[in-house]
Amino acid sequence: MSECIFCKIIKGEIPSCRIYEDDLVYAFLDIGPINFGHTLVIPKEHHESSATIPEATAGRMFRIGSRIGVALKRELDYEAFNLHLADGTAAGQVVMHAHLHVIPRGVEDGFHWNWRQLRYGDGEAAAVAEKIVKRLAATVAGK
Ligand code: AMP
Ligand code: ZN
């Protein structure tokens, strides 16, 4: 993807503060961090959606993301970290090259997820679950 800014970062055509790199993934500092040290882990291969990333690469992204989270805690004195991935514009994805955010967190860092909790009516949860299970069985079988 020649126009993709994250592909350009991987190729070194756009500068980045590199945190980690191997054959499958590249990690670098987010230019607009929620907290300092906020890092993005991306597949070297261009994928818009997390759903098309091969299993080995997706596993590597999660593993390296978690290790970066631990490094952020130990070296920058954070207490915790969030792993976050926005898949699709409605979910907040702005850069259309899949990326895992590693966001270092402290109890009093002033950042809060606006996390609501809806409630299912009678039988609604089971009906929703049935649809998801059915679709998942088809897509996972097809890999
Ligand atoms: P998202 O909203 O999940 O698509 O996040 C995109 C992220 O990419 C944002 O947090 C941006 O700050 C970050 N970003 C965009 N351009 C760059 C860049 N050139 N270098 C580093 N981070 C970037
Ligand atoms: Zn790309």
Side-chain angles (χ1 to χ4, degrees):
M1 271 271 176
S2 56
E3 294 308 311
C4 171
I5 59 167
F6 284 0
C7 284
K8 286 183 176 174
I9 282 177
I10 292 164
K11 286 188 267 177
E13 292 170 9
I14 291 177
S16 68
C17 284
R18 184 174 63 175
I19 298 294
Y20 176 84
E21 180 174 11
D22 63 27
D23 54 330
L24 298 177
V25 306
Y26 186 84
F28 57 105
L29 288 184
D30 192 301
I31 205 168
I34 286 176
N35 284 315
F36 292 146
H38 180 164
T39 298
L40 302 175
V41 185
I42 62 177
K44 281 194 163 172
E45 205 172 79
H46 181 89
H47 290 272
E48 181 169 322
S49 169
S50 60
T52 62
I53 300 172
E55 194 167 338
T57 307
R60 188 76 59 83
M61 285 172 67
F62 188 84
R63 183 87 179 111
I64 294 304
S66 299
R67 288 190 169 188
I68 290 170
V70 171
L72 290 167
K73 282 170 59 177
R74 299 229 169 107
E75 288 300 321
L76 298 181
D77 290 332
Y78 286 104
E79 293 157 276
F81 59 92
N82 287 113
L83 295 180
H84 171 81
L85 190 148
D87 197 308
T89 305
Q93 183 176 8
V94 172
V95 177
M96 292 302 166
H97 180 131
H99 48 281
L100 183 64
H101 292 262
V102 186
I103 304 159
R105 300 298 310 278
V107 171
E108 293 179 14
D109 65 8
F111 181 75
H112 302 283
W113 299 105
N114 187 14
W115 195 292
R116 68 180 180 191
Q117 288 194 304
L118 304 176
R119 294 278 176 263
Y120 288 105
D122 275 355
E124 278 179 349
V128 167
E130 193 182 322
K131 284 187 178 176
I132 301 168
V133 168
K134 207 169 129 195
R135 173 64 55 176
L136 195 59
T139 57
V140 171
K143 291 266 177 191

